[in-house]
Amino acid sequence: MWDLATAKIRLNIVGTTQDVQLQVALDAALAIAEGYCDRYFMHTATQVEKRTHVAGSSVSLMRYPLDAEPTISGDS
């Protein structure tokens, strides 16, 4: 995903008068893509996910790739 500075360069926007509108559009586009894909794209240092795993041998995480091995805990 692009940050504001990259978006302004790619759209050939000079100045700061459209920064707020452009940032709102970037945030909305990210939220739509994350909702559609059912996953988070932006990096975060720490994240706790609570997932209910019904059956099977795999667990889908909302944020991927991971910086470290996950810790998984549960009842069984």
Side-chain angles (χ1 to χ4, degrees):
M1 301 317 270
W2 294 343
D3 61 358
L4 181 61
T6 303
K8 287 175 69 171
I9 291 169
R10 292 191 177 246
L11 295 170
N12 197 25
I13 296 175
V14 180
T16 60
T17 57
Q18 297 174 314
D19 283 2
V20 173
Q21 294 90 345
L22 186 54
Q23 187 61 57
V24 168
L26 289 170
D27 293 343
L30 177 62
I32 291 167
E34 287 179 339
Y36 181 80
C37 294
D38 194 24
R39 125 166 309 150
Y40 299 122
F41 296 119
M42 302 307 287
H43 179 268
T44 185
T46 58
Q47 175 83 21
V48 175
E49 265 188 51
K50 294 186 178 187
R51 307 294 274 176
T52 301
H53 185 52
V54 179
S57 60
S58 65
V59 176
S60 295
L61 300 175
M62 292 289 291
R63 189 170 308 276
Y64 185 82
L66 305 174
D67 288 340
E69 290 189 28
T71 300
I72 299 174
S73 63
D75 296 334
S76 58

